[in-house]
Amino acid sequence: MARDFKRRQEAGGSLRRVLRFLSSMQLGIGLLLLLAAISIFASLQEQEKAVADIYRSFWFIGIMAFAALNLLLCSLRRVKPLARLALQPQKVQTVEAIKKMPFYRAVKLTPADGGGGGAEKASAALRALGYHVSVAESPEGKKIFGEKGRSGYFGSFLTHFGLLVILLGALVGSLTGFEYTGGGIAGDSFQVPGGNFTVRIDGVRMVQEPDPTVRPRVYSDVVVTRGGSQVAAGTVAINEPLRFQGNTIYHKTFRYVSEIVIKNPATGEETTKQVSEQDLLAVGSEGSYIHFLKFFPNFSMTEQGMPYSINWLPEKPVLAGILYNSAGQGERPVLLQLDKPQVIAVAAGEIELTLKDFQDAVVYTVTRNLGRPLLLAGALVLVFGLYLCFAVSPRRLYAACERDGDVIHLGGSSYRGRIGLEEDLARVAKELAQQEVEA
Amino acid sequence: MAGAIEVSPAGLFLENMLFALAVAGYLAATAGYLAYLFGKKSLGSYASRLLHLAFFLHSAFLAARTVNVRRVPFVGHFEFGNLFIWACVLVYLWTERRQKEKYYAVGAFLAPLVVLYIGYLTVVPKIFTKVTISRAHTLLPPVLQSNWLKVHVSASVLGYAGFTLAFAVALMWLLKARLQEKSAFARALPEFAVLEEYMYRASVFGFLFQTVMIITGAIWADTSWGRFWGWDPKEMWSLITWFVFAVYLHARFTRGWSGLRTVALVVAGWFAMLFTWVGVAWLLSGIHSFG
Ligand code: HEM
């Protein structure tokens, strides 16, 4: 039995040792340095490759999870001692103990201040410095305890807690999220499979910047429906997404959709097609086609014959492409100007093409991120925690008179030896000493 | 189709003139602080006055630039660099004013760093053709038209300024340690403990703003790109810098590290910061390549 007990104790001992290691700051520092080293290596790779091979790999996520576990265990282990330290200060200290504190001073009192007057003055001076003061009677005499900046004890705990909430938010976001790209021109709708809703584009407006060479801003009105009923509606523009139920519709970019009328001059037969950049359009029945490359709102040519757009004003719209024959060989460039019919000779005969109209099409990124509230809350807690860590310094000051009453002992400590306490101590001492001089 | 702004010749002249004067002022102040360091103690207050003057001229330059570009001068390598240099001087002068002549020696290390940064903006592009630092007056593309831009950039220049100041003090520490107590020069530098305290405070200042920078950057990325974090090199290097300073703060406070090991961490953190600013732009590519 005794041996059993010993073995259990040993097991407990090694479990405790493992826990101590897992919650240790050495491990934390090591993991942070490791993450930094991996990130340095990864940032030197192509970004897509780094994301695919490293940041999304199970081992990288594993290291992050390990760091989170370390942080969690470390915080948990410290909760109790921290609470005891912060909330249950030992308010009564012997003169001997005060003498041994990191900061210590003794002030000789005047007869007037002896026997209690000094203690009152000391507590008044502490209150004036913003300390919470409590006074206790003891056989030794009056004991004064002053405390300030208690919230500062919780700074690092809140910082770490904020970090954990952020990591949790990231986890929730990546487990429940999706990303989808879709879009169209006014009147179009598209289905977002991951979100089980449909987005309808009701209108698209292009607002030109004062300088026509700056890319215009595009505003689009969208309506979101699910099962026939409206879920959300609003205007989307760059930097102004539409958010609903954890989903967000972002304006990603815009492009032009051209309307082309294709006419067979021989038969008079006409068809209308919508094309956008990079689309292929079959012309004639022989396999010839046009590859549309780019839409220029205000077309011009450089001296070297390179097409470009002077600015974003739609003053001379041109849709440019290349005509390919059925063997896939490029034959010649095609430049379609608005309302100017152009006759193109292909193997099957002649075809007349006209750029009839063009419209602004919007491309959206639709995402769901249910982790967003956690991410934002975690960030707030993190910043608040850092503020408490670095801007608030918790201090404790003790004052006690000797039994015969003519010397008051002042001592104190500040959390992790921060400065500031020494000045407070000097001020209280000066306050008492001034009385002495004046008396 | 770049968005260039027409600037009046007078406006352009004023801007260029103020920039040249500010650079001259920084050079003169640097000479003054170095003279102070090498024994001309009486020059300390003159160096400080010169730095104040240069700072004033530099502020005027930023104001002229603001008028010329008709927006905050927060965009592109040239504007960001100037704002960053300005923030370094601001933060240093603020500490100097609080501590008076006690910190003139820090100025002798900070001012050369400021000159180094100016050299990067002005001389380096003339030597390395790959580095093109445009001074063109450009309009803001819509993606940058956001109030987050102002918060994000302000936080980042203040963060970088804190780290630069910490690095300047780390250099002092290293020099003092190298020369040992024998030399009068080393003795003229503040005590190791004072230097370490200063380095710690500057790092904390930088760390706080670096945190705000990363968070506001992520929130802004979420509203314009549809994601908080995209693992792009600029984001990653800010995070690396942040990690290094986090390690420094933990090591100092909870492990009780001091001396060379902490100085080395601050130096490493500064290099990470410098790489975020300079290296990522020219050696790596990413979505942040506009700034
Ligand atoms: C990954 C594992 C981490 C572990 C195990 C860890 C552990 C610790 C421990 C034990 C303390 C001392 C707490 C106290 O005395 O109250 C501390 C302080 C602190 N930690 Fe962490 N930490 C980690 C990560 C981080 C990170 C990434 C940050 C970044 C913001 C951070 C920010 C802080 C701050 C600001 C303090 C206060 C430091 C000071 O007062 O100078 N910690 N940490």
Side-chain angles (χ1 to χ4, degrees):
Chain A
M1 273 235 324
R3 214 193 285 153
D4 238 26
F5 179 71
K6 191 149 180 256
R7 201 181 300 146
R8 261 217 309 275
Q9 231 186 1
E10 269 171 9
S14 52
L15 181 68
R16 194 167 301 160
R17 235 175 297 138
V18 169
L19 271 180
R20 180 157 304 154
F21 169 70
L22 283 180
S23 65
S24 72
M25 173 112 130
Q26 284 100 316
L27 180 66
I29 289 188
L31 287 172
L32 275 182
L33 285 175
L34 182 65
L35 284 172
I38 298 170
S39 307
I40 290 174
F41 173 76
S43 77
L44 302 177
Q45 319 292 313
E46 284 284 315
Q47 196 195 339
E48 287 81 43
K49 203 167 139 39
V51 171
D53 292 356
I54 299 171
Y55 301 129
R56 297 218 188 290
S57 70
F58 74 91
W59 55 269
F60 186 79
I61 294 172
I63 295 174
M64 292 228 288
F66 197 38
L69 178 73
N70 169 245
L71 198 53
L72 180 69
L73 290 176
C74 166
S75 301
L76 287 180
R77 206 181 65 169
R78 282 168 177 268
V79 168
K80 242 165 110 185
L82 180 68
R84 202 173 312 131
L85 171 73
L87 306 177
Q88 300 167 2
Q90 192 177 350
K91 294 188 176 181
V92 176
Q93 299 274 10
T94 61
V95 168
E96 284 316 303
I98 290 176
K99 280 182 180 168
K100 288 201 197 97
M101 288 183 177
F103 300 99
Y104 168 72
R105 264 165 192 260
V107 179
K108 198 160 165 40
L109 297 173
T110 55
D113 280 350
E120 244 132 61
K121 278 197 175 124
S123 37
L126 280 174
R127 282 204 185 93
L129 288 171
Y131 282 75
H132 293 276
V133 179
S134 64
V135 182
E137 293 290 348
S138 84
E140 264 191 331
K142 280 211 168 105
K143 304 277 187 182
I144 294 156
F145 169 70
E147 185 183 31
K148 199 167 145 176
R150 189 185 261 186
S151 58
Y153 291 107
F154 300 100
S156 58
F157 181 81
L158 283 181
T159 304
H160 296 140
F161 182 70
L163 269 172
L164 283 170
V165 173
I166 289 175
L167 288 172
L168 185 68
L171 185 70
V172 169
S174 68
L175 289 182
T176 61
F178 66 81
E179 186 174 322
Y180 180 79
T181 305
I185 57 175
D188 284 356
S189 305
F190 61 94
Q191 175 86 31
V192 180
N196 188 27
F197 54 77
T198 304
V199 180
R200 190 177 78 229
I201 307 169
D202 273 1
V204 179
R205 272 163 293 133
M206 193 176 265
V207 178
Q208 187 53 58
E209 298 288 313
D211 181 330
T213 61
V214 173
R215 203 177 162 82
R217 243 172 205 273
V218 173
Y219 295 86
S220 55
D221 301 315
V222 298
V223 175
V224 183
T225 55
R226 181 180 287 136
S229 54
Q230 179 172 329
V231 183
T235 303
V236 178
I238 198 153
N239 278 326
E240 293 164 28
L242 173 70
R243 299 193 193 277
F244 62 97
Q245 300 170 352
N247 302 289
T248 311
I249 303 180
Y250 302 89
H251 172 104
K252 187 172 183 207
T253 185
F254 71 86
R255 56 174 63 125
Y256 296 94
V257 172
S258 309
E259 198 176 293
I260 295 174
V261 176
I262 307 156
K263 189 172 166 187
N264 186 335
T267 61
E269 183 191 340
E270 258 187 32
T271 48
T272 304
K273 281 249 152 76
Q274 282 188 342
V275 298
S276 39
E277 292 168 355
Q278 299 308 326
D279 278 358
L280 304 180
L281 177 75
V283 279
S285 52
E286 305 293 314
S288 300
Y289 62 93
I290 299 174
H291 182 191
F292 287 108
L293 294 172
K294 198 150 175 58
F295 181 90
F296 300 96
N298 199 355
F299 181 82
S300 183
M301 277 269 206
T302 63
E303 279 171 18
Q304 288 81 31
M306 286 297 289
Y308 75 103
S309 194
I310 299 167
N311 52 35
W312 292 92
L313 301 179
E315 286 174 352
K316 194 181 176 195
V318 165
L319 180 64
I322 293 176
L323 175 69
Y324 288 85
N325 64 21
S326 51
Q329 292 156 331
E331 295 215 316
R332 64 184 189 83
V334 176
L335 301 173
L336 297 180
Q337 291 187 41
L338 192 64
D339 292 328
K340 297 233 172 93
Q342 200 177 120
V343 178
I344 292 170
V346 289
E350 284 190 333
I351 297 279
E352 188 189 281
L353 295 178
T354 315
L355 173 62
K356 261 288 171 226
D357 195 9
F358 61 93
Q359 288 191 60
D360 307 317
V362 184
V363 182
Y364 302 98
T365 306
V366 185
T367 64
R368 177 163 64 203
N369 187 348
L370 297 180
R372 183 177 288 109
L374 284 172
L375 291 170
L376 296 177
L380 268 180
V381 173
L382 171 68
V383 171
F384 183 60
L386 286 175
Y387 169 79
L388 292 184
C389 262
F390 298 120
V392 178
S393 87
R395 301 161 198 191
R396 281 172 184 169
L397 238 155
Y398 298 88
C401 298
E402 267 176 6
R403 217 183 320 260
D404 46 24
D406 70 342
V407 172
I408 188 161
H409 298 270
L410 302 169
S413 62
S414 70
Y415 191 43
R416 290 192 232 132
R418 298 265 164 74
I419 41 171
L421 186 88
E422 203 173 359
E423 287 155 31
D424 291 354
L425 206 61
R427 284 235 211 121
V428 177
K430 196 171 151 216
E431 200 67 21
L432 291 164
Q434 246 172 17
Q435 303 296 327
E436 196 175 42
V437 172
E438 279 166 12
Chain B
M1 293 195 282
I5 301 174
E6 295 270 337
V7 179
S8 71
L12 193 62
F13 175 77
L14 189 67
E15 182 190 312
N16 288 338
M17 194 64 181
L18 285 168
F19 181 70
L21 286 173
V23 171
Y26 284 138
L27 286 170
T30 304
Y33 278 111
L34 287 175
Y36 165 87
L37 190 66
F38 286 100
K40 296 265 183 297
K41 293 293 169 232
S42 57
L43 287 181
S45 67
Y46 289 105
S48 170
R49 267 175 238 171
L50 273 173
L51 192 62
H52 277 88
L53 178 67
F55 178 71
F56 174 76
L57 290 166
H58 201 196
S59 311
F61 157 75
L62 287 171
R65 179 90 189 174
T66 304
V67 172
N68 285 345
V69 292
R70 292 170 221 142
R71 53 167 171 77
V72 283
F74 281 17
V75 183
H77 227 67
F78 183 69
E79 288 176 8
F80 181 88
N82 270 287
L83 205 64
F84 167 30
I85 290 165
W86 182 85
C88 288
V89 179
L90 175 76
V91 174
Y92 167 69
L93 285 179
W94 177 56
T95 62
E96 194 191 83
R97 276 176 168 249
R98 289 173 52 134
Q99 301 292 338
K100 292 291 167 217
E101 58 282 356
K102 204 165 131 198
Y103 284 161
Y104 285 162
V106 179
F109 288 78
L110 182 92
L113 282 174
V114 162
V115 169
L116 182 83
Y117 293 162
I118 293 175
Y120 163 62
L121 290 180
T122 55
V123 181
V124 169
K126 295 204 166 69
I127 302 170
F128 299 97
T129 46
K130 193 165 184 244
V131 178
T132 48
I133 296 178
S134 164
R135 293 197 196 181
H137 300 75
T138 52
L139 279 166
L140 279 190
V143 69
L144 294 183
Q145 294 172 9
S146 160
N147 282 330
W148 288 113
L149 169 76
K150 292 167 204 158
V151 191
H152 180 60
V153 173
S154 307
S156 66
V157 293
L158 287 171
Y160 286 10
F163 294 158
T164 300
L165 202 53
F167 177 64
V169 179
L171 290 180
M172 291 172 86
W173 193 100
L174 288 172
L175 191 70
K176 189 176 167 85
R178 175 88 211 189
L179 294 176
Q180 316 253 293
E181 288 303 314
K182 298 190 286 290
S183 90
F185 184 74
R187 261 180 273 128
L189 293 176
E191 289 306 312
F192 285 119
V194 174
L195 290 177
E196 285 182 30
E197 178 70 21
Y198 192 142
M199 190 171 79
Y200 166 71
R201 289 181 169 216
S203 302
V204 163
F205 180 88
F207 188 74
L208 282 174
F209 282 104
Q210 176 93 357
T211 311
V212 174
M213 166 187 116
I214 293 176
I215 290 173
T216 54
I219 294 176
W220 185 17
D222 180 50
T223 55
S224 63
W225 295 326
R227 52 153 188 79
F228 283 96
W229 195 259
W231 308 101
D232 92 81
K234 197 96 178 169
E235 290 170 355
M236 288 316 289
W237 276 91
S238 319
L239 194 66
I240 292 164
T241 308
W242 194 67
F243 277 171
V244 175
F245 278 97
V247 167
Y248 161 69
L249 294 177
H250 284 87
R252 178 182 155 103
F253 250 102
T254 8
R255 305 299 308 158
W257 280 21
S258 63
L260 185 59
R261 293 191 291 183
T262 51
V263 171
L265 281 170
V266 169
V267 170
W270 180 81
F271 274 104
M273 176 216 91
L274 194 70
F275 195 82
T276 316
W277 180 37
V278 173
V280 173
W282 310 118
L283 303 176
L284 310 174
S285 62
I287 202 159
H288 271 86
S289 49
F290 49 72

